[in-house]
Structure formats: structure tokens, C-alpha cells
Amino acid sequence: MIQITFPDKNIRSYEPGITPLQIAKSISEGLARNIIIAKINGETWDLNRPVNADSTIELLNVEHPTGKSTLWHSSAHLMAEALEIFYPGVKFGIGPPVDNGFYYDVDLGGKQITPDDFKKIEDKIIELARTANAYVRREVSKEEAIDFFTRKGDEYKLDLLKDLTDGTITFYTQGNFTDLCRGPHIPDTSWIKAVKLMNIAGAYWRGDDKGKQLTRIYGITFTKQKDLTEYLTLLEEAKKRDHRKLGKELELFTFSEKVGAGLPMWLPKGWLLRDQLEQFLRKAQRKMGYQQVATPHIGNKELYITSGHYEKYGKDSFQSIKTPQEGEEFFLKPMNCPHHCEIYRSRPYSYKDLPVRLAEFGTVYRYEQSGELSGLTRVRGFTQDDAHLFCRPDQVKEEFMKVIDLVMLVLNALEFNEFTAQISLRHQTDHSKYIGSDENWVKAEQAIIEAAAEKGLKTVIEYDEAAFYGPKLDFMVKDALGRKWQLGTIQVDYNLPERFDLEYTGSDNQKHRPVMIHRAPFGSMERFIALLIEHCAGNFPLWLSPNQVIVLPISENYVDFAKKVANVLTNADIRTLIDERDEKIGRKIRDAEIRKIPYILIVGDKEQQEGTVSVRKHSEGDKGSMSLDDFIKAINAEIQSKISDLQTVLD
RNA sequence: GCCAUCUUAGCUCAGCUGGUAGAGCAACUGAUUCGUAAUUAGUAGGUCGCAGGUUCGACUCCCGUAGAUGGCUCCA
């Protein structure tokens, strides 16, 4: 007999060779019906795979993340079976589960697949699912595996097999489809009740853009039809938050083919919003000892040769600006740091002067690949809330920690509570693409890890994600569709001070090299605002809202009174509109609600008589009437609350 | 840059297998003077992204190109 330990520490005895499914049945039929996958000693395990030794067991249902990904992994296999029916000879790359479903990379050998084909494939998947074919696990030798895929003519699987040097090789078969797969899988295909193929994309084999491009088919499945319907509704809802849609509706920004792809233009309302954010950060930075500077939008080619950017990105940048002077070339600035280094060089510094913190909302231009451009999140011209801190080596950690505070201040102020802090380090072994000494890299990486740890920041470490000149700490936030974007960033750089020969005089009266920290709490104004729009679905907090109040006269007879009210508010620095249209009040309210204006003031005969306003709050409704003075007090208190939070943190 | 899809009035979208375009909202003009999410009548508005080709004839088919969208690769 073997001893099986359950999560609640209960122990039961079974015959060796018992399967997790049988164990579940021994507890209750209901449990057995619900579970989809097991974990044996922490390892995911097929429900019908025998257990032969004393073990711990966890029985997971489809709601569990592991259960879900198992369902989707099995679904990828089922889609592959369906594809083989419609496209005989199709070759398969990899077919893993992802956050929302699964994909399979396939080589259709010159044949094409379009979204029009989805319906028939989906129908076939459901048809196959109903046969309730079991997913059968089989251990095979490497020779047998190679032989199988050689006969099948699937070079991608053979390529994968090449790298499988240790451990057991397993095949999984359901119906007429056999795949090289570590597993595990759901017991049989009947679990899959609803399927939706989402889209088609090209994907390079093994992520190599020099290599062959396969067709990637994305899909998602559920164990209930209802879950699919709910998922699709959720997607529709997410699309309503899309910053590109809201940006147009709320008149925040626009693009023009004539101006150029990826070059956003801020409309008056968008600018108001952006300006508030900039003021907010400027204020915080002033308190933290930053000095604001401004630098030109272009720089001489020599500047970027010195910085190293010319060599690294020269070919893939906007090309140089020529002048009447033979041989003279300028580049649009892709970063602000070289300019700031030259500002630092403009005077000598003592160790007592450091850190020097130079801040600039600097607009930079980068020639991003055309296929990469996306709304405000990936553009070719954008403004960084940039600053460069020049400090002594002994100040790096403390400065770094202060920047973490500033980034957290920004994220908290805008209520981004769900973010990932990612430490991006060099590739673990291949250091060929980085510049700077090994010693400095080690120092910089250490400084970041320690600073983050001391700030109690929960971080994930990613190798091969560092910038070419140094490691960084990035703050990532998800957009409405679940894609992760980098917002705030902090980067340690020992390299540029070297290249620009930056110095300070130490207490020993010798010249020393300062260390540089690049940092941008918002990252770029464009991307930050894109994420902010999606985060609050266009319902901006009062202090940021482009229009804070709209005054609606009941009829034309009260327009003069409405104007008086609006004037008082404007004089109190409240961004106020007035709707003078000859429309019924219901219509004006509806339009104001759609425009997501935080406060609606309705004025008619009663208000005029009493000198009051009738207050309505966006998406909440009627709040009753109050005197104008009281309203101003209340609204100012609400606006100031964020700013005073800020004061508290900084004091 | 690569793969796929899309581009029709200011906006959102119809337009079957080729016979030179249609709705709602917005805009404009008038009526209405109104109490918490759409008052009403009328008017105007498009070389169907751009440039070629096939055809008696192209919004519709083909080629190219620009832009957008979803991915891949990239991201100082």
C-alpha cells in the first residue's frame, strides 16, 4: 500500500498504481467530476497516470490556473488534430497555453488559412471533442521519437527533439493525433465544450526573425458554453476602455497620416490632462532637490558618437539632418542623457555638490518599426519625464531608493495598484551586446537589487532584458487587453560618465568619476496617459479631468445666471464649461455624462432665486442643491486631497 | 521589418455573386423655453485611403502603396 497525503494533511492508503482520478472517486463522485488535473509531489500529473509511491496530492479543477492552462494545452492538441484533417501534411511547431487560451504554430506548406476558415475548424474541434477520445501518455525512446517525426516529415518537432537531452521523452495521443509533449493533459477531449479561434499571426520559428515564419493560430476553449459567452462579453467591455477609442471620444489626442505614423498630437483637452501630470511631478521633483533644465530637440552627430548611440542605433534611427555646411550632421534626439551630460560638463563639481539632479520633460524621436506602432503606447515621438542624477558611487543606493519612492508616489497617486517591478539584468552568459566594464555591471546590478530589497519592493528578475549600457528596474502595468507595458524606469549607468569623461573633485582633491542614474517615473507621457485612460476608463480623477464642471441652464432664460456661476468657478481655478444649447435638460445631462465631466451643475428658476446650484456627480446622479460657495469648498477639497497626499509623502 | 485583417460622410457602420453609394448620430436652418441620460421639422454633407491594372462598366476583382488593428521580431 502507498500513503497519499492530501493538502489538509489527511493521509489515506491506496494500492500502488492507483490514479488520481480513482483517488478522487474514492472521496466523492462529485469531486471526480470536477477535477481536471492533479499535482503529485508538486508535479502536474495526468488524472489517469498511475501513482506508485508515497506522495502528496492536490486535485485541481478547471478554475485553478493550472487546470486552465492544462485545458488550453490539451485544446491546442485538439486544434492540431482538426487542422491535420483540413490541411494534410501540415507541420507543427509549438502549441502552448497562454494567459488567455492557447496557440499553435503551424507550417501549412504554402497553403493559407484565413479567419473565414475558423468556423469550420471550430466545428471540427467540437465534433472531435464529442468523441471523448482520451489523451494517452506514452514514454518513448529518443530514437523512436526521431523515427516517428522523420516519417511524418515534421522538421520542427525534430528540431525540438535535438535539444531534448535529458529526462524522459513522452508522446501524447488523442484520436488520430500524436504529439511530442511533456504533458500533462486533461483525461479526454469531452471536457472541451466551447471553442473560439481568435486570430492568426505570423510568428518566427524559435523567435528568430532570420528564420522561417510560421502561422500562429490563437484560440480559447471552455468547459461550458456560458463561459465562452462571458469571456467574449468581457473582451467587448475591455475594448470600451481602449485608450485609442476613448482618446478620440474625449478629444484628448489625434494622429494624422500627413504628419506621420506614430506622431501623436495632443488636443486641448489632452494637453490639460498632461499638463496637470507634469505640474504634479515638477512639484514633487522640486521638493526632492531636482533642477529643471531644457535642451534642444537635435544634437550633433558627434554627441551620439560619444554616447555610443550612433553606433548602436544610427542605422535604425530617423536619418541625420544635413546643413549647408559640408559634412555637418545633426540627429533628432532619441534620448536626453547626452545633452544632460554636456550640461554637467559645463562647470566643475566638488563632491559636496553631488548629487546633481537634472530633470527635463524632453521630447525624443525614435524610428520604431512600423509594425510596432500602437496608439499612444508605442510611438515615434514622445516626451519622457526624464532626469539624470549624477552622484558619487557611495550615493547610488540611497539615490536609487529615493527614486523608487518617487515612482511609488506617482503610481499611488494615480491608483495603479497592480504593477510588476521588474529588475532587468544582463544575459547570464552572453555579454557581447553590452558596453561598459564587467566590474561596473556587477556593481550596478548589485546596487539595484539591494535598493529594491531595502525598499521592500516585490520584484521579478529578468535576464537578458537590460539596456545595452546598464541594468534597470522597470515598473510594468497591464492595459485593457492584458498586455504589459513599461511605465516608470530607473537605470544605473557607469558607462556614459566614462564616455563623456565626467568628473568631480573628491575630498582627496583628486578627480573622480560620478555615477549616473537615468529615471522616468511616468516613463513617457504618451504611454503613461494611455494606460491611465484605460485604467480609469476615461473617468479621470477630478484633479486631472480636462473639464471639471459643466453648468447646465434649464432653459435659455437662465443662461445669464449660468454664466455668472461659471465665471465664479473659473475665477476659483476650476475648469468649467457651460452648455448654452437650446436643448432640454435631459439631453444636456446625457451629453455631459457621455463626456465624463465629473460635476454637472443644473441651474434654473429655483437656483437663481436662492443663489444655489443643483449638483449632479458623473455616473452617480443627483446630489441635491447647495450654495455655490459650499460647492467650491467641496470641490477644492477634493482636488487638493491628492496634492496633499503628495505633500505628506514628501515631508 | 515580417504574417494576417481592415480603410465608405465629422463619428459609428450598411452596401449580396462588378451596373458610378445609404442609415443613425453630429453639423446647419427653423419651431420649441423645457427640472436630472436623446424635443421636433427641414437642409447640406462622400472623386468609397492613395496610385495603377482587368473590364463596355470597379466601392466591389488584381497589383502596388500609405495608414490602422492583432500577433512575431525589436524597443536607447
Side-chain angles (χ1 to χ4, degrees), chain A residues 350-362:
Chain A
S350 140
Y351 69 98
K352 296 175 193 165
D353 297 325
L354 303 187
V356 169
R357 308 180 185 93
L358 303 180
E360 171 176 13
F361 286 88

Side-chain angles (χ1 to χ4, degrees), chain A residues 316-327:
Chain A
D316 302 317
S317 300
F318 282 108
Q319 287 308 290
S320 66
I321 301 160
K322 302 267 194 341
T323 70
Q325 193 70 42
E326 184 72 29

Side-chain angles (χ1 to χ4, degrees), chain A residues 133-355:
Chain A
N133 282 322
Y135 286 84
V136 181
R137 180 177 190 274
R138 190 161 71 88
E139 294 188 7
V140 296
S141 68
K142 190 161 180 176
E143 291 69 36
E144 188 184 343
I146 291 173
D147 182 57
F148 179 84
F149 285 110
T150 306
R151 275 190 287 120
K152 202 179 169 192
D154 200 327
E155 67 248 39
Y156 305 103
K157 294 294 177 190
L158 289 170
D159 195 26
L160 291 173
L161 273 167
K162 254 198 333 224
D163 294 347
L164 289 180
T165 47
D166 53 345
T168 332
I169 293 175
T170 50
F171 276 9
Y172 274 83
T173 302
Q174 94 277 357
N176 291 316
F177 181 76
T178 297
D179 205 352
L180 169 70
C181 182
R182 193 184 316 126
H185 282 281
I186 58 178
D188 68 70
T189 60
S190 71
W191 286 81
I192 298 164
K193 293 277 200 282
V195 61
K196 177 92 180 149
L197 300 192
M198 301 305 292
N199 48 50
I200 298 173
Y204 299 106
W205 175 237
R206 303 211 143 183
D208 175 12
D209 64 349
K210 310 273 183 305
K212 172 117 181 151
Q213 192 162 36
L214 304 180
T215 304
R216 176 169 297 180
I217 305 168
Y218 284 90
I220 189 164
T221 54
F222 296 93
T223 53
K224 294 190 205 97
Q225 183 63 41
K226 193 178 116 238
D227 292 346
L228 172 61
T229 315
E230 269 173 24
Y231 174 72
L232 293 177
T233 312
L234 209 73
L235 265 189
E236 289 304 311
E237 289 301 311
K239 279 184 188 153
K240 288 184 191 157
R241 303 173 83 94
D242 192 315
H243 76 275
R244 292 164 296 202
K245 182 178 154 67
L246 286 168
K248 184 180 276 184
E249 285 171 4
L250 301 177
E251 300 177 308
L252 301 176
F253 56 87
T254 190
F255 287 90
S256 150
E257 265 185 51
K258 256 189 185 140
V259 171
L263 299 171
M265 288 175 284
W266 291 90
L267 299 174
K269 284 176 192 167
W271 172 256
L272 276 172
L273 167 62
R274 175 173 156 177
D275 190 42
Q276 291 302 313
L277 287 171
E278 291 190 2
Q279 284 184 33
F280 167 84
L281 187 60
R282 278 207 182 97
K283 198 167 180 180
Q285 289 181 165
R286 211 160 39 235
K287 287 200 157 209
M288 293 181 85
Y290 286 67
Q291 297 168 284
Q292 205 73 24
V293 296
T295 62
H297 284 230
I298 64 174
N300 194 290
K301 178 177 170 181
E302 292 301 320
L303 182 68
Y304 301 108
I305 290 176
T306 301
S307 71
H309 292 106
Y310 180 77
E311 194 196 342
K312 191 85 184 170
Y313 292 103
K315 280 195 191 61
D316 302 317
S317 300
F318 282 108
Q319 287 308 290
S320 66
I321 301 160
K322 302 267 194 341
T323 70
Q325 193 70 42
E326 184 72 29
E328 191 176 46
E329 292 179 49
F330 291 85
F331 277 85
L332 279 167
K333 71 174 171 188
M335 336 177 60
N336 303 299
C337 32
H339 286 82
H340 290 185
C341 283
E342 286 301 296
I343 289 181
Y344 181 89
R345 273 165 56 83
S346 69
R347 58 156 278 196
Y349 288 98
S350 140
Y351 69 98
K352 296 175 193 165
D353 297 325
L354 303 187

Side-chain angles (χ1 to χ4, degrees), chain A residues 478-503:
Chain A
K478 282 187 185 171
D479 71 9
L481 295 174
R483 297 172 294 201
K484 260 191 192 177
W485 296 94
Q486 174 212 304
L487 294 182
T489 181
I490 318 173
Q491 317 183 355
V492 182
D493 187 352
Y494 288 87
N495 179 57
L496 275 188
E498 197 80 39
R499 289 181 160 260
F500 279 89
D501 195 25
L502 305 183
E503 300 175 331

Side-chain angles (χ1 to χ4, degrees), chain A residues 564-611:
Chain A
K564 273 185 205 151
V565 170
N567 270 338
V568 175
L569 289 166
T570 304
N571 286 336
D573 277 333
I574 293 161
R575 297 186 289 277
T576 308
L577 294 175
I578 176 162
D579 186 347
E580 295 180 47
R581 290 178 308 167
D582 182 10
E583 289 289 351
K584 294 174 83 165
I585 196 67
R587 174 53 182 276
K588 294 186 189 179
I589 288 167
R590 180 184 149 80
D591 288 346
E593 290 283 348
I594 288 169
R595 291 163 76 183
K596 298 178 185 289
I597 298 170
Y599 283 100
I600 297 168
L601 297 185
I602 293 155
V603 294
D605 193 44
K606 188 163 80 81
E607 288 75 15
Q608 191 165 19
Q609 298 296 324
E610 298 170 1

